[in-house]
Amino acid sequence: MSGAAVELKGVSKRFDSGLQALGQVDFDLRAGEFVSIVGPSGCGKSTLLRIVAGLIATSTGECRRPADIETAFVFQEAALLPWRTVERNAQLLMELEGYKPEDYQPRAAEALKLVGLAGFEKSYPHQLSGGMRMRLSLARALALRPGLLLLDEPLAAVDELTRDILQEELSAMWQQAGFTGVLVTHNVHEAVYLSDRVIVMSPRPGRILDVIDVPFAFPRAPELRATPEFARLTGDVTAALRRKQPA
Ligand SMILES: Nc1ncnc2c1ncn2[C@@H]1O[C@H](COP(=O)(O)OP(=O)(O)O)[C@@H](O)[C@H]1O
Ligand SMILES: [Mg+2]
């Protein structure tokens, strides 16, 4: 499977309440790349991600994506069904999309293996740690074999050590599966570690202040985070966040 390219042209969003959430956004996502979006709280990051997902309409402009790709969404809250076992949660989205059990069962099993949850198929969500619940949420999305995976602060609620490990695992999954990834995060280090490019947004109404290329080759060693080159990149992103106007 290969990732999908997405084109945003003159996209803005004003909600019915009159609130202008997004200014004008122009951006092209390249097939198979991993991009992060950083910006202050309330600047329209989630709104932008929902537009890319096709979940909400734009007020101006358009978002073009291939019609035939699966899009999967992962939220900060793992949003699991507590009465379903791990494997039944992993099967959920495929079941809702009308796949047959003989198709969705092996796919869910494969996705659970990929996120390191093999052996926990019959457990229930309340028996899992926060990190494991997020792995399950990822497995549920990956089982769809998405061409486009959208992640809205999925690691914001896990502790720092687990967060580093999940970042490394997420990066490995992306390198293996080849989807186009878009991650919203508050964490500048996370954005730089995972991404080909980091989009820096202004306060609301959100516009793109800068797009920063991250030149490190994949796979990236965990130790990359401790290098001066890495610190320079995170410094560039932080400086861009403080700007008032596009570079
Ligand atoms: N459905 C909605 N109707 C009206 N306002 C909304 C709606 N969804 C979000 N907003 C507002 O739009 C702004 C941007 O929200 P959001 O995209 O969630 O920001 P972020 O994810 O960057 O924190 C916020 O002020 C939020 O309250
Ligand atoms: Mg948000």
Side-chain angles (χ1 to χ4, degrees), residues 34 74 76 114-117 129-139 142 151 153-174 183 190 193-194 222 225:
F34 197 104
V74 176
Q76 179 176 336
L114 195 63
V115 302
L117 285 178
S129 67
M132 289 164 88
R133 282 199 288 272
M134 189 40 68
R135 286 194 173 96
L136 175 52
S137 178
L138 260 176
L142 290 171
L151 305 127
E153 305 199 45
L155 307 183
V158 297
D159 66 83
E160 204 173 316
L161 190 62
T162 306
R163 188 174 183 139
D164 279 2
I165 292 166
L166 287 173
Q167 285 169 11
E168 289 148 27
E169 293 179 356
L170 175 60
S171 191
M173 286 172 214
W174 164 71
L183 170 79
E190 178 167 294
Y193 183 73
L194 287 168
R225 298 182 180 99

Side-chain angles (χ1 to χ4, degrees), residues 15 17 19 21 40-48 50 204:
F15 285 107
S17 62
L19 184 122
S41 209
C43 77
K45 301 181 295 298
S46 296
T47 300
L48 183 58
R50 289 195 179 100
R204 198 183 74 222

Side-chain angles (χ1 to χ4, degrees), residues 198-241:
V198 179
I199 298 176
V200 179
M201 290 182 68
S202 72
R204 198 183 74 222
R207 292 166 306 141
I208 295 179
L209 286 176
D210 206 352
V211 179
I212 293 175
D213 284 305
V214 183
F216 311 120
F218 293 96
R220 294 176 179 170
E223 297 75 28
L224 175 67
R225 298 182 180 99
T227 63
E229 294 76 25
F230 190 86
R232 196 177 58 75
L233 258 298
T234 57
D236 288 350
V237 174
T238 305
L241 277 167

